[in-house]
Amino acid sequence: MELILLGPPGAGKGTQSKLLETRYGVAQISTGDMLRAEVKSGSAIGLEAKSIMDSGGLVSDALIIRMIGERIARPDCANGFILDGFPRTVPQAEALDELLHTTKVDLDGVIELKVDEAVLVARISGRFTCAKCGAGYHDLFKRPRHEGVCDVCGSGDFSRRPDDKAETVHARLEAYNAQTAPILPYYRAKGRLHSVDGMADMDAVEAQIEAVLRKIGVPAP
Ligand code: AP5
Ligand code: MG
């Protein structure tokens, strides 16, 4: 399965692509997670990306396209992949088409998670993750089963993203509307775009995505 999950910040791309990764045995590729790992390691890419990410803007297409080309070539993508947060501009979508053409891989589809802006802000401002294993939580919508203890790895160490501050969230939403939303007509024109109601609860969103996957011929695991 080769799938793109598209949607604004906080739409649930990370939440849903992690569920699909586990259920379908394909690699989740989050360009945001990759960039955060670069920032954490203090690499040259991380140094270039950090101030842009902290301001809510988009990192350069050239850097992202190179990063994705290398990532898709890794062995864990042989079974397929879910792209989370890429492509994010029309030039990135065009570069992906070229990359898939060269590697003779067919994109199954693009699933857009549609969520109202007020809900996005509430979701992002309540988000936190396990600092050890990366499991995602929310102050209101998804608390750990035992207060202060990660459900997945048992760690008590949690963190919040620096770009989840209110002023940066607005800049990220603007970047989505100005630079990423134009990808929607790009994929609609190719007959690849499917939209789901991302306002529903997490299980219901997952069920809608699986219904789309069945419709486009991806067999249930
Ligand atoms: P990135 O990490 O991709 O962030 P984003 O697109 O802003 O999206 P988020 O990760 O904030 O949201 P999400 O859709 O994954 O939602 P989540 O599942 O966490 O990018 C960060 C930055 O990196 C960018 O700003 C840019 O600078 C740079 N970058 C990355 N890729 C790039 C690219 N291709 N080109 C250029 N620059 C790039 O859910 C959010 C919260 O809501 C969670 O707490 C979750 O528990 C909760 N939630 C999820 N679903 C539901 C639901 N159905 N109901 C209730 N709560 C829910
Ligand atoms: Mg994410």
Side-chain angles (χ1 to χ4, degrees):
M1 161 166 90
E2 278 77 27
L3 188 72
I4 296 173
L5 277 193
L6 203 59
K13 303 181 295 294
T15 302
Q16 294 299 329
S17 53
K18 283 199 180 83
L19 291 170
L20 291 169
E21 177 180 48
T22 311
R23 227 168 113 60
Y24 288 79
V26 294
Q28 177 216 8
I29 302 180
S30 157
T31 42
D33 287 349
M34 291 168 77
L35 290 168
R36 279 183 287 279
E38 297 284 351
V39 170
K40 203 170 167 191
S41 76
S43 70
I45 291 179
L47 288 176
E48 184 180 335
K50 186 176 182 340
S51 58
I52 301 168
M53 293 171 78
D54 286 351
S55 72
L58 294 186
V59 174
S60 81
D61 287 339
L63 190 160
I64 295 285
I65 291 162
R66 198 173 63 237
M67 218 170 68
I68 280 286
E70 289 168 9
R71 180 66 189 88
I72 285 177
R74 291 208 209 138
D76 67 329
C77 293
N79 243 356
F81 49 79
I82 303 152
L83 296 172
D84 157 8
F86 175 89
R88 232 176 170 101
T89 61
V90 171
Q92 289 183 19
E94 289 166 349
L96 177 65
D97 277 350
E98 252 181 69
L99 196 66
L100 295 178
H101 182 73
T102 315
T103 50
K104 298 192 171 49
V105 169
D106 220 13
L107 186 67
D108 290 299
V110 179
I111 300 184
E112 177 201 11
L113 301 172
K114 284 174 94 93
V115 180
D116 292 350
E117 221 157 280
V119 172
L120 296 172
V121 175
R123 282 189 187 176
I124 292 173
S125 46
R127 171 172 54 190
F128 59 99
T129 53
C130 171
K132 193 169 167 214
C133 75
Y137 296 97
H138 192 280
D139 291 329
L140 301 176
F141 311 131
K142 193 184 174 210
R143 299 200 62 84
R145 279 194 295 275
H146 302 287
E147 199 58 41
V149 182
C150 175
D151 295 349
V152 179
C153 74
S155 164
D157 195 8
F158 295 93
S159 64
R160 290 180 192 257
R161 275 170 45 179
D163 61 344
D164 280 352
K165 290 192 279 296
E167 62 274 22
T168 318
V169 171
H170 288 290
R172 284 161 60 196
L173 287 169
E174 271 174 32
Y176 179 81
N177 291 329
Q179 289 165 275
T180 308
I183 295 183
L184 297 169
Y186 178 85
Y187 285 119
R188 192 176 292 119
K190 291 173 180 286
R192 294 289 160 143
L193 184 68
H194 309 269
S195 298
V196 304
D197 172 19
M199 304 276 284
D201 67 37
M202 290 177 203
D203 292 347
V205 175
E206 188 185 4
Q208 289 180 70
I209 292 175
E210 296 209 345
V212 171
L213 291 175
R214 279 194 299 278
K215 198 174 93 184
I216 62 179
V218 176

